[in-house]
Amino acid sequence: MTFYTYGYLTTHHSSWQYLRIGLIIALLAVFVGLFVYYLRHRWNVKYKDMSIITGTLLLLVLGFQINSLVSLRSATEQTGEITATVKNVAQQLDVQPSKLAVNATTTNTNLLIKAPSGYYRLDYNSDGSAYVLERVQLHRPKVTIVKE
């Protein structure tokens, strides 16, 4: 069973975003350079073809980036929900949030919290607005903790 620490939940971001932004900037620079070169030398058609190919690649990577940003935004909102839940549980258990670990990165109906004093289960009501925190005993737990 995998548990994620509070630090992991608050600092886990995709590092691919920076690489994709760098790729977009590089493709844009190549596209502008090829297109300007084609406009100066209209007799050389290969630069027109290369600028069209580069522009197509630029649009493709830009589409991937927009899709990734939308899914990152959704994941960030869900992570915000789970971190708020971890903070509330930490207040109830009178421990620091950094000492807790949770078995999911999004709120769902089967959340387990690993605290220094043991394992706890969050039992949500039907509309998900409140929960009951109850202590559970795991039989032979094989726990992996993912940290920042």
Side-chain angles (χ1 to χ4, degrees):
M1 184 177 296
T2 304
F3 283 86
Y4 303 96
T5 62
Y6 181 76
Y8 176 83
L9 293 173
T10 56
T11 61
H12 179 68
H13 298 289
S14 179
S15 61
W16 288 100
Q17 300 300 322
Y18 299 117
L19 181 66
R20 286 184 183 163
I21 290 172
L23 182 63
I24 288 172
I25 291 171
L27 281 172
L28 186 62
V30 169
F31 173 73
V32 169
L34 288 171
F35 192 70
V36 167
Y37 194 81
Y38 165 70
L39 290 177
R40 285 187 172 184
H41 308 284
R42 290 190 187 259
W43 50 268
N44 202 345
V45 182
K46 80 175 179 183
Y47 292 106
K48 175 185 171 187
D49 295 339
M50 289 174 60
S51 66
I52 289 172
I53 291 171
T54 306
T56 305
L57 282 174
L58 178 66
L59 290 175
L60 182 68
V61 171
L62 193 61
F64 284 140
Q65 180 67 18
I66 290 170
N67 185 27
S68 178
L69 286 175
V70 167
S71 60
L72 180 66
R73 181 177 176 204
S74 173
T76 303
E77 289 172 359
Q78 290 175 349
T79 301
E81 292 173 3
I82 193 73
T83 55
T85 303
V86 171
K87 283 181 184 178
N88 289 338
V89 170
Q91 285 178 346
Q92 287 181 349
L93 296 176
D94 197 28
V95 295
Q96 296 290 328
S98 60
K99 302 229 184 238
L100 298 180
V102 65
N103 72 332
T105 57
T106 61
T107 54
N108 58 22
T109 58
N110 247 352
L111 279 180
L112 290 175
I113 303 284
K114 182 184 180 309
S117 59
Y119 295 95
Y120 294 87
R121 181 175 64 122
L122 288 160
D123 190 15
Y124 284 96
N125 64 353
S126 61
D127 64 351
S129 61
Y131 60 86
V132 173
L133 185 65
E134 73 177 325
R135 188 178 172 105
V136 294
Q137 191 72 20
L138 296 180
H139 182 68
R140 285 191 250 161
K142 293 182 181 180
V143 175
T144 305
I145 296 179
V146 179
K147 299 181 180 181
E148 357 176 346

